[in-house]
Amino acid sequence: MPVDFLIIGQGLAGSLLAWELIQHGCKVVVIDNGRENASQVAAGLINPVTGLRFVKSDDVDDLLPAARQYYSALSKFFRQPFYIEKPMLRLFRSEAELKHAQKRLNDFRYENYLGAVTTSDNVIPFLETPFGFIEQKQTGYLLTRPLLRCLKDFFIARGCYTLAEFDDRDIQLEPSLRWQDISPKQIIFCAGHHASQNRWFSWLPFRPAKGEILTLPPTDELPDKILNYGNWLIPLDNHQVRIGATFDRDNINTDITDTARDYLLAALKQLAPTLKTTLTNQQAGIRPCTQDRNPFLGYHPRHPQIAIFNGFGAKGSLQIPWHSQRFAESLLNNAPRPLSCDIQRYYETHFLG
């Protein structure tokens, strides 16, 4: 069966890239093993200003409008909401954080993302805020699991989804590119952290990180805002609460642990001492992080018909829409890719093939 693109992985990266290419009239087949992936576990948090020093994410002025427009278009098509805009309260954990925030308020580049600082004298019911807090704007979260479910149904309806275990050793390069009975013009790997064991792209410096999150029962004690207190807390529309996330580079598996559960609950207890913390669910996923924290986009240096679109780490919900549009332009029109993300940056120093 001849197709334009064979996409490996139906996480957020593979799904949005497939969607983008289909909108351009391409014939696409998505291969997925049907198991839960990191995108389904992730909270989908979008936060333009992060870190102890309150730094804007790279290119956020382009990435955020693209993400909002993209998810809005998908919501219109599938007739259900996917991106929930909700302000975030960033609770200061020290005087140093407070000073960093005040410094950013004097920088015009942050005025669309940061509100006023509230001192510790203004108490939020049920929360311990000894150093005060600041409200961050243009934040929210993506309902990743419902979005991926809708996209999967869309792919199935179009006959472009195949449930299968993909083994990259089964790829045939000669006399033409082929996998089983599919003859694509291009194969694109979007399979998350598994790419670190991929024979074609294992030379790329992935740094996968395990993360665990918890879901708690409905509560009316907390404000209807995202809370950032070193960890994050997201109040869902059904009044459930999700908290996370741990960061573990040593144990790359999807096993849930008592250690992570106890850590997250203890941090929440310190923030909200009177909150009841009955556990509803606990999940673990593996973020496809990279050494330089930039995604991996591009073509294999010796086999350009094999490509990768991966490595978005914890910021995939923010980054993938814009990058899927840029990479589609590269695939279809040979448009230049962002230099910071192009895997050519590792050809000389890391390519071992």
Side-chain angles (χ1 to χ4, degrees), residues 15 86 102-103 181 209 218 250 305 312-313:
S15 295
K86 196 176 288 287
Q102 290 171 328
K103 180 180 178 180
D181 64 343
D250 297 322
Q305 67 271 47
F312 293 95

mmCIF file of all heavy atoms in Angstrom, residues 15 86 102-103 181 209 218 250 305 312-313:
data_model
loop_
_atom_site.group_PDB
_atom_site.id
_atom_site.type_symbol
_atom_site.label_atom_id
_atom_site.label_comp_id
_atom_site.label_asym_id
_atom_site.label_seq_id
_atom_site.Cartn_x
_atom_site.Cartn_y
_atom_site.Cartn_z
ATOM 1 N N SER A 15 0.261 12.348 16.784
ATOM 2 C CA SER A 15 -1.129 12.641 16.437
ATOM 3 C C SER A 15 -1.274 14.010 15.779
ATOM 4 O O SER A 15 -1.975 14.157 14.762
ATOM 5 C CB SER A 15 -2.006 12.571 17.684
ATOM 6 O OG SER A 15 -2.050 11.263 18.206
ATOM 7 N N LYS A 86 -6.921 28.552 32.471
ATOM 8 C CA LYS A 86 -7.150 28.763 33.903
ATOM 9 C C LYS A 86 -5.932 29.480 34.471
ATOM 10 O O LYS A 86 -4.797 29.057 34.235
ATOM 11 C CB LYS A 86 -7.356 27.420 34.601
ATOM 12 C CG LYS A 86 -7.971 27.514 36.001
ATOM 13 C CD LYS A 86 -8.229 26.132 36.579
ATOM 14 C CE LYS A 86 -9.371 25.416 35.911
ATOM 15 N NZ LYS A 86 -10.695 25.981 36.273
ATOM 16 N N GLN A 102 9.334 40.144 41.377
ATOM 17 C CA GLN A 102 9.226 41.602 41.339
ATOM 18 C C GLN A 102 10.116 42.193 40.259
ATOM 19 O O GLN A 102 9.745 43.169 39.595
ATOM 20 C CB GLN A 102 9.582 42.177 42.717
ATOM 21 C CG GLN A 102 8.529 41.865 43.773
ATOM 22 C CD GLN A 102 8.964 42.246 45.171
ATOM 23 O OE1 GLN A 102 10.166 42.184 45.506
ATOM 24 N NE2 GLN A 102 8.003 42.623 46.014
ATOM 25 N N LYS A 103 11.263 41.586 40.055
ATOM 26 C CA LYS A 103 12.164 42.040 38.987
ATOM 27 C C LYS A 103 11.520 41.854 37.621
ATOM 28 O O LYS A 103 11.594 42.725 36.750
ATOM 29 C CB LYS A 103 13.481 41.270 39.074
ATOM 30 C CG LYS A 103 14.490 41.665 38.011
ATOM 31 C CD LYS A 103 15.774 40.861 38.159
ATOM 32 C CE LYS A 103 16.769 41.229 37.063
ATOM 33 N NZ LYS A 103 18.029 40.442 37.189
ATOM 34 N N ASP A 181 3.396 -4.352 4.527
ATOM 35 C CA ASP A 181 2.795 -4.129 3.208
ATOM 36 C C ASP A 181 2.611 -2.646 2.897
ATOM 37 O O ASP A 181 1.908 -2.275 1.953
ATOM 38 C CB ASP A 181 1.444 -4.837 3.112
ATOM 39 C CG ASP A 181 0.423 -4.270 4.110
ATOM 40 O OD1 ASP A 181 0.844 -3.579 5.067
ATOM 41 O OD2 ASP A 181 -0.790 -4.517 3.928
ATOM 42 N N ALA A 209 12.973 11.082 31.521
ATOM 43 C CA ALA A 209 12.723 11.303 32.952
ATOM 44 C C ALA A 209 11.338 10.786 33.306
ATOM 45 O O ALA A 209 10.345 11.136 32.660
ATOM 46 C CB ALA A 209 12.838 12.785 33.295
ATOM 47 N N PRO A 218 -12.899 15.074 44.626
ATOM 48 C CA PRO A 218 -13.369 16.459 44.541
ATOM 49 C C PRO A 218 -13.228 17.182 45.879
ATOM 50 O O PRO A 218 -13.375 16.587 46.948
ATOM 51 C CB PRO A 218 -14.842 16.310 44.143
ATOM 52 C CG PRO A 218 -14.924 14.974 43.476
ATOM 53 C CD PRO A 218 -13.917 14.113 44.187
ATOM 54 N N ASP A 250 16.617 8.110 37.112
ATOM 55 C CA ASP A 250 17.302 6.859 37.423
ATOM 56 C C ASP A 250 16.440 5.621 37.190
ATOM 57 O O ASP A 250 16.967 4.553 36.890
ATOM 58 C CB ASP A 250 17.785 6.874 38.883
ATOM 59 C CG ASP A 250 18.805 7.971 39.136
ATOM 60 O OD1 ASP A 250 19.646 8.214 38.252
ATOM 61 O OD2 ASP A 250 18.753 8.580 40.216
ATOM 62 N N GLN A 305 14.951 9.551 4.061
ATOM 63 C CA GLN A 305 13.558 9.127 4.012
ATOM 64 C C GLN A 305 13.059 8.649 5.379
ATOM 65 O O GLN A 305 11.895 8.319 5.553
ATOM 66 C CB GLN A 305 13.361 8.024 2.956
ATOM 67 C CG GLN A 305 14.021 6.699 3.259
ATOM 68 C CD GLN A 305 15.456 6.588 2.750
ATOM 69 O OE1 GLN A 305 16.253 7.498 2.957
ATOM 70 N NE2 GLN A 305 15.762 5.478 2.074
ATOM 71 N N PHE A 312 9.954 16.389 23.079
ATOM 72 C CA PHE A 312 9.345 17.621 23.584
ATOM 73 C C PHE A 312 9.270 17.669 25.108
ATOM 74 O O PHE A 312 8.884 18.686 25.673
ATOM 75 C CB PHE A 312 7.954 17.787 22.970
ATOM 76 C CG PHE A 312 7.991 18.046 21.493
ATOM 77 C CD1 PHE A 312 7.851 16.999 20.586
ATOM 78 C CD2 PHE A 312 8.205 19.318 21.005
ATOM 79 C CE1 PHE A 312 7.897 17.222 19.229
ATOM 80 C CE2 PHE A 312 8.255 19.555 19.639
ATOM 81 C CZ PHE A 312 8.103 18.504 18.744
ATOM 82 N N GLY A 313 9.626 16.580 25.770
ATOM 83 C CA GLY A 313 9.714 16.605 27.224
ATOM 84 C C GLY A 313 8.432 17.011 27.908
ATOM 85 O O GLY A 313 7.340 16.597 27.530
#
